[in-house]
Amino acid sequence: MSSISLAVTGAAGNIAYALLPRLGELLQDTETTLSLRLLEVESRMHALEGVVMELEDCAFPFIDEIIYTSNAEEAFFDVDYALLIGAMPRVQGMQRSDLLKANAGVFKEQGTALNKVADRNCQVLVVGNPCNTNAYLTMRFAPDLAKKNFFAMSMLDQNRAYAQLASILDISINQIDNLCVWGNHSDTMFADYFNALLDGQPLIEQFRKKEVLLREKYLPTVASRGSEVIKMRGSSSAASAANAALDSMIMLIDKNPDYGMFSIAICSSGEYGAKPGSIVSYPCQFDASGSLSVVSGLTHNDFAQGKLDASFAEIAQEIAQVESLLTTL
Amino acid sequence: MSSISLAVTGAAGNIAYALLPRLGELLQDTETTLSLRLLEVESRMHALEGVVMELEDCAFPFIDEIIYTSNAEEAFFDVDYALLIGAMPRVQGMQRSDLLKANAGVFKEQGTALNKVADRNCQVLVVGNPCNTNAYLTMRFAPDLAKKNFFAMSMLDQNRAYAQLASILDISINQIDNLCVWGNHSDTMFADYFNALLDGQPLIEQFRKKEVLLREKYLPTVASRGSEVIKMRGSSSAASAANAALDSMIMLIDKNPDYGMFSIAICSSGEYGAKPGSIVSYPCQFDASGSLSVVSGLTHNDFAQGKLDASFAEIAQEIAQVESLLTTL
């Protein structure tokens, strides 16, 4: 009987509320149990207790224990996986530099705590935005953990891309493969339809005549989807973000080459021209030994390469900005 | 390749938001697809569109189509299952009779629509409260559908009972079986620990000395759990209610005797002294042909029988009240 210990931050927030009741999806068999550590800021502990009550009221047979706390070292002690959802949201009147600075404080603390107490093979997936930069910061302050174990989520962009491409081209998402997201989780990200497959064949060859539609409708729709959801629902994406976090975690736990190419932001070694050491979304794949790497040999035309370069540059710029802010923390 | 068509009402509400991304759990194999019909009041169609966008952004491979509407006949057309979550909530200053009357209007309309357009074997699970009476009303206005296909949800009470019994007796929920909820989904419901099993043996025999604790702590905690969650979270149970609705729907779709005894409110034939024709939670079980019936031959001591009688009487009283209100609708 195996057990997984998982820490979740921002545990009283809306994304965690959508995610926690679905954690059973992470377990590969009915013998695996889950030890859950929930982290939240002190002022939200009351609400978190309510969430824990509801998790108890699900009577899940696979939950071994639930620890909830506002202490990062307690939450991260010996954990196999950390899902960092909590982040400072941008509030009215806040400059982007204020936002970066506020989050720098949060993720510096969490990286430091992970470095001190997490299992030495702990894998860390950052969902809280700006997630690439937040993952970079977490990794930077956890120097004793391997850089290859830090990730930021780009699966929500990938899922949005699949849905929009299918809708716009009037095909089924089940016909599409290898549609991956490159760069930063921001509106500069590039959901590369040039390397996508339709029924196993290059999609673009069958839809060459619709390329204007892909550039002018598909790409902007995917990029602005988050704010469109806010306009309609009145609050930001929670269910779909939680779903994408689960999709990502399932793959990180399962490490199965059969998943094929999928999008996740990892620590770059400079592949395709990104800044080495930055956290960049690439098409990635597991090999037979369960090792994850960037898919190599993909080609890009000038338009696509321009998109990649712009998004890679944005990531590098955010890192430079946050590095300069760190001196004032 | 089989397909299930499912209608969900109150689709822009919090319970539906927790439930809709988990609908994949209802499908027994990867070949089954889902046709989803979402019903919401006209004033919430904007929010519902946001929910639909998020469902699209989950890129679920099993979703065939999503229809969303404020027209009950459109939502229920030819559906195999209807999950009635939406109900009028009790607002400040509202009397209970006002609440019953408001809901009588809603469920009269929905029963009438189901009667007109749903598949003739459609199964209807009511979650919106007061769910027993709402299910009664729906059934009453759908005379062309079999009474055996109308249900109200008592699984949330059952799940709460499992969690509380395990916690209070310091045992695992996995050791408990046959813990079922009787009567109305209200604080009169009785979560019968006398017929529960611990590791296959009568639980009460091993915990006779703790019976005071079971009467004075376990029963009131289960009964008041909903309002305790509201106090802590600041809003009512959504994730755990959605989870219980899924638990119930999985069983209604799967019809497997291996589930053993579980709690669901069904149209009573007067079993154990309830009013025939009322919707009552009982321990139920599927037989090998997939037919659901009340477990017979269970015995109750005077204390338990008193609890059952009180809850059955409350249901009968609610029906009488709602029948008199119907004349004014």
Side-chain angles (χ1 to χ4, degrees):
Chain A
M1 195 156 113
S2 62
S3 178
I4 287 176
S5 63
L6 167 70
V8 178
T9 73
N14 291 332
I15 296 175
Y17 191 69
L19 179 128
L20 295 171
R22 295 184 61 184
L23 288 177
E25 297 175 36
L26 299 182
L27 309 176
Q28 290 163 333
D29 55 60
T30 55
E31 296 298 298
T32 308
T33 61
L34 191 64
S35 164
L36 198 52
R37 326 293 178 82
L38 305 179
L39 183 67
E40 194 42 276
V41 294
E42 186 59 36
S43 62
R44 298 276 293 153
M45 290 310 287
H46 207 68
L48 181 55
E49 199 174 330
V51 174
V52 171
M53 288 169 75
E54 283 210 70
L55 285 176
E56 290 167 357
D57 293 351
C58 290
F60 288 130
F62 54 80
I63 291 190
D64 239 2
E65 59 171 353
I66 304 177
I67 293 167
Y68 58 101
T69 175
S70 60
N71 180 312
E73 288 188 17
E74 191 183 351
F76 295 150
F77 184 76
D78 218 18
V79 289
D80 303 315
Y81 298 91
L83 191 45
L84 308 187
I85 299 175
M88 300 290 278
R90 190 167 187 168
V91 293
Q92 194 96 32
M94 196 184 235
Q95 300 299 311
R96 186 166 172 84
S97 59
D98 297 334
L99 179 73
L100 280 170
K101 188 167 175 177
N103 276 298
V106 171
F107 289 90
K108 178 183 176 182
E109 184 200 328
Q110 296 189 353
T112 305
L114 284 163
N115 195 53
K116 193 167 165 193
V117 300
D119 184 275
R120 296 300 88 181
N121 295 311
C122 177
Q123 300 198 57
V124 182
L125 176 66
V126 180
V127 172
N129 286 319
C131 66
N132 297 59
T133 304
N134 290 343
Y136 167 82
L137 276 168
T138 312
M139 180 178 77
R140 187 184 187 288
F141 286 98
D144 300 342
L145 303 180
K147 286 185 162 52
K148 70 177 172 65
N149 288 335
F150 291 84
F151 307 93
M153 183 174 91
S154 54
M155 185 59 78
L156 179 53
D157 298 308
Q158 177 181 309
N159 284 344
R160 288 167 172 167
Y162 269 80
Q164 288 307 313
L165 196 63
S167 165
I168 287 171
L169 299 180
D170 197 22
I171 55 179
S172 158
I173 53 168
N174 299 316
Q175 296 177 270
I176 307 172
D177 285 297
N178 294 8
L179 177 57
C180 285
V181 169
W182 298 70
N184 204 9
H185 175 59
S186 78
D187 57 11
T188 69
M189 64 90 212
F190 179 59
D192 179 15
Y193 54 89
F194 294 106
N195 283 296
L197 301 178
L198 173 68
D199 297 326
Q201 301 299 318
L203 177 139
I204 190 67
E205 286 179 12
Q206 295 174 62
F207 286 104
R208 189 70 69 184
K209 285 182 182 161
K210 296 211 172 171
E211 222 209 305
V212 174
L213 201 62
L214 296 179
R215 289 193 192 202
E216 293 179 6
K217 186 167 178 211
Y218 156 79
L219 284 180
T221 302
V222 173
S224 64
R225 188 73 168 172
S227 46
E228 289 303 312
V229 168
I230 292 179
K231 270 189 218 160
M232 301 305 285
R233 278 224 314 134
S235 48
S236 63
S237 308
S240 55
N243 181 69
L246 284 164
D247 283 348
S248 307
M249 287 297 294
I250 287 169
M251 293 183 192
L252 289 179
I253 291 172
D254 202 19
K255 304 182 201 320
N256 194 329
D258 294 345
Y259 289 122
M261 266 166 63
F262 66 95
S263 310
I264 194 162
I266 67 170
C267 182
S268 177
S269 301
E271 295 92 339
Y272 297 95
K275 178 185 165 73
S278 66
I279 300 281
V280 177
S281 179
Y282 288 113
C284 292
Q285 185 159 3
F286 287 104
D287 65 19
S289 71
S291 171
L292 186 73
S293 58
V294 176
V295 174
S296 60
L298 298 171
T299 57
H300 303 282
N301 63 19
D302 289 349
F303 170 75
Q305 190 62 51
K307 291 281 187 188
L308 263 54
D309 292 344
S311 198
F312 294 162
E314 187 185 56
I315 295 173
Q317 191 192 358
E318 278 187 21
I319 288 176
Q321 214 174 341
V322 88
E323 282 288 356
S324 74
L325 286 167
L326 281 175
T327 60
T328 68
L329 269 184
Chain B
M1 195 156 114
S2 61
S3 178
I4 286 176
S5 62
L6 168 70
V8 179
T9 73
N14 292 330
I15 296 176
Y17 192 68
L19 178 129
L20 296 171
R22 295 183 60 184
L23 288 177
E25 296 175 37
L26 299 183
L27 310 176
Q28 290 163 334
D29 55 59
T30 55
E31 296 298 298
T32 309
T33 61
L34 192 64
S35 164
L36 196 54
R37 324 293 178 84
L38 305 179
L39 182 67
E40 193 43 275
V41 294
E42 185 59 36
S43 63
R44 298 277 292 153
M45 290 310 286
H46 207 68
L48 180 56
E49 197 174 330
V51 173
V52 172
M53 288 169 74
E54 283 210 71
L55 284 176
E56 290 168 356
D57 293 352
C58 290
F60 289 130
F62 54 81
I63 291 191
D64 239 3
E65 60 171 353
I66 304 177
I67 292 167
Y68 58 102
T69 176
S70 60
N71 180 313
E73 288 188 18
E74 192 183 348
F76 295 149
F77 183 76
D78 217 17
V79 290
D80 303 315
Y81 298 92
L83 191 46
L84 308 188
I85 299 175
M88 298 291 279
R90 190 166 185 167
V91 293
Q92 195 95 34
M94 195 184 237
Q95 301 298 312
R96 188 168 170 83
S97 59
D98 297 334
L99 179 72
L100 280 170
K101 187 168 176 178
N103 276 298
V106 171
F107 289 89
K108 177 183 176 182
E109 184 199 329
Q110 295 188 355
T112 305
L114 284 163
N115 195 54
K116 192 166 166 194
V117 300
D119 184 274
R120 298 298 88 181
N121 294 310
C122 177
Q123 300 198 57
V124 181
L125 176 67
V126 179
V127 172
N129 285 319
C131 65
N132 297 58
T133 305
N134 290 343
Y136 167 82
L137 276 168
T138 312
M139 180 179 76
R140 187 186 187 289
F141 286 99
D144 300 340
L145 304 180
K147 285 184 162 51
K148 71 178 174 62
N149 287 336
F150 291 83
F151 307 92
M153 183 174 91
S154 55
M155 184 58 77
L156 179 54
D157 298 308
Q158 176 180 308
N159 284 343
R160 287 168 172 166
Y162 268 80
Q164 288 307 314
L165 195 64
S167 166
I168 286 170
L169 298 180
D170 197 22
I171 55 179
S172 158
I173 53 168
N174 299 316
Q175 296 177 269
I176 308 172
D177 286 297
N178 294 7
L179 177 58
C180 285
V181 169
W182 298 70
N184 203 8
H185 176 58
S186 78
D187 57 11
T188 68
M189 62 93 213
F190 180 59
D192 179 16
Y193 54 90
F194 294 105
N195 283 297
L197 301 178
L198 173 68
D199 296 326
Q201 301 298 316
L203 178 138
I204 191 66
E205 287 180 11
Q206 296 175 60
F207 287 104
R208 190 71 69 184
K209 286 183 180 162
K210 297 213 170 168
E211 221 208 306
V212 174
L213 201 63
L214 296 179
R215 287 191 193 204
E216 293 179 6
K217 187 167 176 208
Y218 155 80
L219 284 180
T221 302
V222 174
S224 64
R225 189 72 169 173
S227 46
E228 290 303 313
V229 167
I230 292 179
K231 271 189 216 160
M232 301 304 285
R233 279 224 314 135
S235 47
S236 64
S237 308
S240 54
N243 182 69
L246 284 165
D247 283 349
S248 307
M249 286 298 294
I250 287 168
M251 293 183 192
L252 289 179
I253 292 172
D254 203 18
K255 306 183 199 318
N256 194 330
D258 293 346
Y259 289 122
M261 265 168 63
F262 66 95
S263 311
I264 194 161
I266 67 169
C267 181
S268 178
S269 301
E271 295 92 337
Y272 297 95
K275 178 185 164 73
S278 66
I279 300 281
V280 177
S281 179
Y282 288 113
C284 293
Q285 185 159 2
F286 287 103
D287 65 19
S289 72
S291 172
L292 186 72
S293 57
V294 176
V295 174
S296 61
L298 298 170
T299 58
H300 303 282
N301 62 19
D302 289 350
F303 169 75
Q305 191 63 51
K307 291 280 188 188
L308 263 53
D309 292 344
S311 199
F312 294 162
E314 187 185 55
I315 296 173
Q317 190 192 358
E318 278 186 21
I319 288 176
Q321 213 174 339
V322 89
E323 283 287 356
S324 75
L325 285 167
L326 281 176
T327 59
T328 69
L329 269 184

